[in-house]
Each structure stands twice: as structure tokens, then as C-alpha cells.
């Protein structure tokens, strides 16, 4: 039985801890904050609860596998999962309103034809057909297996683009695919919004990013009753049931190595030293050759929690995306350090969940926006910056929530600065999932570090950010420590 020290209690770290504990190891988790879950946060006040991190779950099979492998129990025996249908509603500046059904190709084609005109649905379907090739090509090496020593194949974009016009000059970006293959600017905005939501610049992210909407439209989007934090609760409880020890308010400042160069324990901020046979880092740690973070600037998440008077209307869609009036200006703001725009792309989450409100005469609404980790060069903590931007966000959201301002009781604003304070993520950035192409720019550090006995797990390591990807990284690392090749299958 090995002594395994885990740094951080994020979703990937807990997924690893539960699997290792089942294998008979003594596992201790050291978390700098007072709670678990990492970016899967919750804000509660006056009987209202809100997700401050991800609002929906994709690829729930990842967590179903975790629960089966760590106790032969179903995920659904611990949390209630509901498939969101329609998967999303989209509102465009010209007044176009389209809802996309969950996990049905024919339904999406019909919806887009009705909203954008005949042929729009088929053009979208053709792009998703090519995205399927990306998925089939990269699913194992990019998501299910440990990162190969030779990442050159993953540096090439597997998207089989239509080779015409400017595409002959090289691999296209997602924005160029949207413009050339979809034709309609609203369809283009729809496609690029998936990348923006994950923190990718549509102008530079490779066409392989088409796999993001493909995954959602193929495997569905799911809501966890009680909010996504309920999933973190369930994974934490699973760890406790498997005798994983948690130590909160325990900040790790370094990884100790022995004379042989192998990781041998942790140094804590309070001066204590923890001995271990193996170390698993759920966050970047200060050690030469240790796990790092993906290259390039990574945006964060701006959240407005709204407590509303009045019940949630029966025909309300769970997720509505209100698209920005000027996409290029928004991309410039998020990815080039410009000032936050007056009309950002806002994701409006309105769950049909009585457990998130004090009673049936109220509604809990969450607004999410992808933003730069600084507001046009200013810190989000600067006087008035967050409040001013929240006003713009609420104004945009009124298109999805009629009478919003009249119904508002109070609001809570969360910025990347809050994310950094609560989770330790550099700048409050939220890492995206790994993508093939762009010469490997969107790959993440491997789970096996240059330091023997030190492994990396979670959003800042392979295969990247997102609930499903974090769970897969946990399976990969547990398999590596067990002596396997590293696989989440």
C-alpha cells in the first residue's frame, strides 16, 4: 500500500483519489481552500443557490464509469440527472430566435432551416459530419489515453476542411470555417459561440474546435438536480466512503524530492512536511519540471447570480445564449486585452429546479460571460469595474428574461478575481479542453511529469478543462500509478 499525497480537491484530483483508494492505497488530499470541487462552485443566499462554475454536464459516462469502478454503484443512485431539452436557445441581434433540440441531428437541421432559411440545417450538418471525423480521430489519443511522447500528430488539425478559396493556403481557423462553410452570419455566430464559451479565440483556434458542438449535439447536455455542485458533493462523498483523507486550509508550497530525484512529499505553507511515495498535483506546483499550464492567455468567467421575484414560466428554456452585436469587437476584448464590450455574448441559465429557490414564487437565474482575466487592463477588483460590466450583462440578458429588472430582488457578481481567490487558478483563468491542431498550442502538460513519482491531473493538465475532461484525467493518472499505460476507457 503506497502513501499518495494529492494536491488540491478539484474534480480531477478527487476522481484520482477515489480510484487510488479503491486500489488499496492510503490517499490524503491537501486543499488550500476550505472546501472541495475546485471551479465547481456554489453561491447560496436567502434560500437561492447558484452554480458559479460550469452549469451543465457533458459526457456523463465519464462519471458513471467513476462510480461503477469505485463502488459498483450507478451515478444516478447519488445524483439526479436530467437531459436538457432543448439543449439551447439562441437569440441574435436581428431578432432571430432558434432553439436546438438535444441530441437529434434531424431536429437541429429542421430548427436551423426554420430560423435561417432552407439549406442552413444541411450546411450545419455537413460541418458536424466533418467534426465527427475529428472526434473519431482524436478521441483516444486526445481524451482517453495518456499524452503520447510524440505529440506531433496531434499538432496537425484533423478537420477535413472543404479545400477551396482561402482554405488552400493552410489549415483553417474555426472562424473561417464558420464564414466559408455556413455562409449565414447567424450560423457562423452559433458555431463560434461554442469555442468562446470554452475560452478559445475563434479567429485562431483550429477547425478541430468543431468537435465541441459535435460532442454536445451527439451525446447531449445534462443538468444535475441541485446544481452542478451536487456532482462535486457526490464525488467527495464517494472519496470519504473509500477512506480518502481530506485536509482543508492546507496550502502546498512545494513538492519535496529525494536524493534520487523522485517526489517524496509535500511542503506546506505552515512549515509542515508531508511524506509520500507518490504525489498527484491537481494544480500547477512550484517544482522544476513539474506540471505546468497550457501556453497562451486563458480567459476567465464572469458570473451574475440573480434572485428574481415571480415563478419560472413553464415554457422557459434551461439555457439561452444571447449573442453579441459585434463578435469581432468581443473577441478583441476577450483575447487582445480590450475593454469589455457593451453587448457581450451572455449565457442565461434558468434551471427548472425547486431546490435552487426558497419557494415556487421565485426564480434563480445565472448569467455567464467569457471575459479576459483583466478588464481592459484594469483589475476586476478596481472600483466600479465589475458593477459596470454587470449592468451591461444584465441589459443583454433582458432579451432572454422579459421583465428581468422589475423582478430582480438582488444580484451577486463573481469575477475572475473571485475565481483566483477561491481556487488559486492563475488570474482566475478557466482552462479549456485539449484540441488537436495549431501545432499543439491547445494541448496541455502530460500527466507524467519530468519528476519521477509526480503526476498531474485536472484542468491544467492533459486532457484539459471541463468536467468530463477532469474526470478522464483522473482515470488516466490512476491507471498510470497502477503501472498501466494510462487510459480512461
Amino acid at each position: 500500500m503506497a502513501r499518495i499525497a494529492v494536491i488540491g480537491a478539484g474534480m480531477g484530483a478527487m476522481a484520482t483519489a477515489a480510484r487510488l483508494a479503491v486500489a488499496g492505497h492510503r490517499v490524503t488530499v491537501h486543499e488550500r481552500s476550505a472546501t472541495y470541487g475546485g471551479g465547481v462552485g456554489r453561491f447560496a443566499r436567502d434560500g437561492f443557490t447558484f452554480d458559479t462554475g460550469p452549469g451543465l454536464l457533458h459526457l456523463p459516462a465519464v462519471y458513471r464509469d467513476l462510480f461503477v469502478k469505485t463502488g459498483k454503484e450507478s451515478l444516478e443512485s447519488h445524483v439526479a440527472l436530467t437531459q436538457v431539452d432543448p439543449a439551447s436557445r439562441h437569440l441574435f441581434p436581428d431578432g432571430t430566435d432558434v432553439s436546438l433540440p438535444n441530441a437529434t441531428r434531424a431536429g437541429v437541421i429542421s430548427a436551423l432551416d426554420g430560423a435561417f432559411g432552407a439549406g442552413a440545417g444541411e450546411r450545419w450538418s455537413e460541418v458536424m459530419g466533418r467534426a465527427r471525423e475529428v472526434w473519431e480521430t482524436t478521441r483516444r489519443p486526445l481524451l482517453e489515453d495518456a499524452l503520447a511522447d510524440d505529440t506531433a500528430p496531434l499538432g496537425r488539425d484533423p478537420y477535413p476542411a472543404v479545400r477551396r478559396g482561402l482554405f488552400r493556403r493552410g489549415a483553417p481557423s474555426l472562424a473561417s470555417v464558420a464564414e466559408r462553410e455556413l455562409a449565414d452570419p447567424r450560423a457562423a455566430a452559433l458555431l463560434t459561440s461554442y469555442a468562446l464559451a470554452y475560452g478559445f479565440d475563434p479567429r485562431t483556434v483550429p477547425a478541430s474546435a468543431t468537435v465541441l458542438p459535435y460532442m454536445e449535439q451527439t451525446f447531449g447536455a445534462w443538468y444535475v438536480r441541485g446544481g452542478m455542485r451536487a456532482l462535486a458533493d457526490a464525488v467527495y462523498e464517494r472519496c470519504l466512503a473509500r477512506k480518502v483523507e481530506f485536509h482543508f486550509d492546507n496550502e502546498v508550497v512545494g513538492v519535496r524530492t529525494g536524493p534520487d530525484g523522485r517526489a517524496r512529499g509535500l511542503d506546506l505553507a505552515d512549515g509542515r512536511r508531508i511524506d509520500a511515495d507518490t504525489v498527484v498535483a491537481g494544480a500547477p506546483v512550484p517544482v522544476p519540471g513539474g506540471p505546468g499550464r497550457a501556453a497562451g492567455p486563458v480567459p476567465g468567467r464572469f458570473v451574475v447570480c440573480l434572485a428574481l421575484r415571480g415563478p419560472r414560466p413553464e415554457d422557459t428554456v434551461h439555457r439561452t445564449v444571447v449573442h453579441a452585436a459585434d463578435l469581432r469587437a468581443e473577441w478583441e476584448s476577450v483575447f487582445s486585452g480590450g475593454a469589455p464590450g457593451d453587448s457581450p455574448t451572455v449565457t442565461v441559465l434558468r434551471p427548472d429546479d425547486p431546490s435552487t429557490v426558497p419557494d415556487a414564487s421565485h426564480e434563480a437565474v445565472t448569467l455567464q460571460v467569457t471575459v479576459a482575466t483583466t478588464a481592459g487592463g484594469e483589475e476586476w477588483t478596481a472600483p466600479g469595474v465589475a458593477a459596470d460590466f454587470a449592468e451591461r450583462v444584465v441589459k443583454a440578458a433582458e432579451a432572454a428574461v422579459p421583465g428581468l429588472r422589475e423582478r430582480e430582488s438582488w444580484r451577486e457578481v463573481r469575477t475572475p478575481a473571485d475565481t483566483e481567490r477561491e481556487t488559486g487558478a492563475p488570474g482566475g483563468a478557466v482552462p479549456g479542453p485539449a484540441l488537436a491542431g495549431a501545432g499543439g498550442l491547445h494541448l496541455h502538460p502530460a500527466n507524467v511529469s519530468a519528476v519521477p513519482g509526480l503526476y498531474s491531473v485536472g484542468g491544467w493538465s492533459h486532457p484539459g478543462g471541463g468536467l468530463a475532461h477532469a474526470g478522464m484525467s483522473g482515470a488516466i493518472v490512476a491507471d498510470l500509478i497502477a503501472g498501466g499505460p494510462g487510459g480512461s476507457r
Side-chain angles (χ1 to χ4, degrees), residues 72-159:
K72 298 181 180 180
E73 297 174 346
S74 69
L75 172 63
E76 282 82 355
S77 68
H78 293 266
V79 297
L81 287 178
T82 303
Q83 199 165 17
V84 175
D85 198 10
S88 58
R89 176 190 180 201
H90 294 263
L91 300 178
F92 298 91
D94 68 351
T96 302
D97 184 340
V98 57
S99 293
L100 303 182
N102 200 337
T104 162
R105 175 180 177 274
V108 170
I109 291 175
S110 177
L112 294 180
D113 278 346
F116 301 155
E122 192 56 42
R123 286 192 293 273
W124 178 272
S125 182
E126 289 172 356
V127 170
M128 290 300 101
R130 288 187 277 278
R132 178 181 179 181
E133 295 186 45
V134 175
W135 171 257
E136 293 176 344
T137 300
T138 62
R139 176 175 56 86
R140 287 187 59 178
L142 195 63
L143 302 180
E144 296 181 346
D145 295 340
L147 194 64
D149 293 335
D150 179 11
T151 60
L154 288 173
R156 296 187 287 271
D157 191 345
Y159 182 79

Side-chain angles (χ1 to χ4, degrees), residues 112-333:
L112 294 180
D113 278 346
F116 301 155
E122 192 56 42
R123 286 192 293 273
W124 178 272
S125 182
E126 289 172 356
V127 170
M128 290 300 101
R130 288 187 277 278
R132 178 181 179 181
E133 295 186 45
V134 175
W135 171 257
E136 293 176 344
T137 300
T138 62
R139 176 175 56 86
R140 287 187 59 178
L142 195 63
L143 302 180
E144 296 181 346
D145 295 340
L147 194 64
D149 293 335
D150 179 11
T151 60
L154 288 173
R156 296 187 287 271
D157 191 345
Y159 182 79
V162 177
R163 298 290 172 181
R164 62 171 182 263
L166 292 177
F167 285 169
R168 294 174 183 168
R169 301 178 185 176
S173 68
L174 184 69
S176 61
V177 164
E179 179 181 359
R180 294 271 174 169
E181 298 188 32
L182 296 177
D184 190 296
R186 296 164 297 182
L190 174 59
L191 182 62
T192 57
S193 70
Y194 285 90
L196 180 65
Y198 281 99
F200 295 117
D201 186 345
R203 301 168 298 181
T204 59
V205 74
S208 65
T210 53
V211 77
L212 301 174
Y214 170 80
M215 285 193 297
E216 178 172 303
Q217 292 186 18
T218 302
F219 305 109
W222 302 76
Y223 175 70
V224 179
R225 179 83 39 185
M228 298 309 299
R229 179 69 182 183
L231 179 63
D233 294 340
V235 176
Y236 173 67
E237 290 165 4
R238 171 50 51 94
C239 287
L240 293 180
R242 298 300 168 260
K243 309 303 181 184
V244 175
E245 297 178 19
F246 284 82
H247 301 276
F248 297 106
D249 297 312
N250 262 229
E251 182 178 1
V252 175
V253 295
V255 174
R256 287 192 295 105
T257 56
D260 57 358
R262 181 180 176 85
R264 293 297 181 185
L266 308 177
D267 291 323
L268 303 183
D270 62 9
R272 286 183 296 145
R273 305 178 74 182
I274 305 297
D275 293 328
D277 301 304
T278 300
V279 174
V280 176
V285 293
V287 59
R293 53 172 291 179
V298 181
R301 183 183 291 119
F302 188 97
V303 179
V304 182
C305 306
L306 294 171
L308 303 186
R309 294 180 294 272
R312 178 184 186 271
E314 290 186 5
D315 59 349
T316 297
V317 174
H318 184 113
R319 175 178 55 172
T320 299
V321 179
V322 181
H323 290 264
D326 189 338
L327 290 180
R328 297 281 171 173
E330 179 172 40
W331 300 342
E332 189 70 19
S333 165

Side-chain angles (χ1 to χ4, degrees), residues 3 13 40 66-67 87 114 132 140 142 163 212 215 269 308 332 340 349 401 419 443 469:
R3 299 167 300 172
V40 185
L66 172 65
F67 275 75
R132 178 181 179 181
R140 287 187 59 178
L142 195 63
R163 298 290 172 181
L212 301 174
M215 285 193 297
L308 303 186
E332 189 70 19
L349 299 173
V401 189
T419 301
L443 300 180
H469 292 70

